[in-house]
Amino acid sequence: MGKTGYITARIEPKLKARAARVLATVGVSTTDAITMFLRQVVLRNGIPFEVRVPNAETKKAIEELENPATRSKLKRHATTDELFADAVPRKGNQARRRI
């Protein structure tokens, strides 16, 4: 069947550009990505990922990230190893598990 249907959606320009860059790195156009999403909606008979209302802790974290004043105070990590070493406490001489 030919592609003759159209979808018009209003998207934040920054979001559209960022998504297009990510998709381009994997060789997928925005049109193809939307088509894949809609096929998954049909196959799964619903949205193909979990959609939930964030809890209080998640809302607070989102607010911190969206607020430039608090975001600038957050600790940054150069690697995922540094992040996990900081986030997951190790006990004794246990070997660090690779994730």
Side-chain angles (χ1 to χ4, degrees):
M1 181 191 296
K3 293 182 180 181
T4 59
Y6 289 92
I7 294 177
T8 302
R10 294 187 178 163
I11 304 294
E12 294 174 21
K14 278 185 171 182
L15 174 61
K16 181 182 175 195
R18 289 175 67 194
R21 280 194 300 273
V22 171
L23 292 169
T25 63
V26 294
V28 175
S29 71
T30 302
T31 297
D32 290 337
I34 292 168
T35 300
M36 286 189 279
F37 171 76
L38 294 175
R39 288 187 187 281
Q40 286 296 310
V41 167
V42 171
L43 286 169
R44 296 168 186 256
N45 200 30
I47 295 179
F49 47 83
E50 188 174 354
V51 179
R52 297 185 296 155
V53 175
N55 63 27
E57 182 179 3
T58 302
K59 283 181 185 179
K60 183 179 176 195
I62 292 169
E63 289 169 6
E64 286 177 355
L65 288 172
E66 290 177 343
N67 181 336
T70 57
R71 183 176 50 227
S72 65
K73 296 176 186 175
L74 296 174
K75 184 173 182 178
R76 296 181 182 270
H77 299 85
T79 66
T80 54
D81 286 338
E82 286 180 17
L83 171 68
F84 283 113
D86 202 29
V88 180
R90 293 190 303 162
K91 296 179 185 175
N93 289 334
Q94 292 176 337
R96 186 162 43 168
R97 202 175 82 186
R98 298 293 267 169
I99 296 178

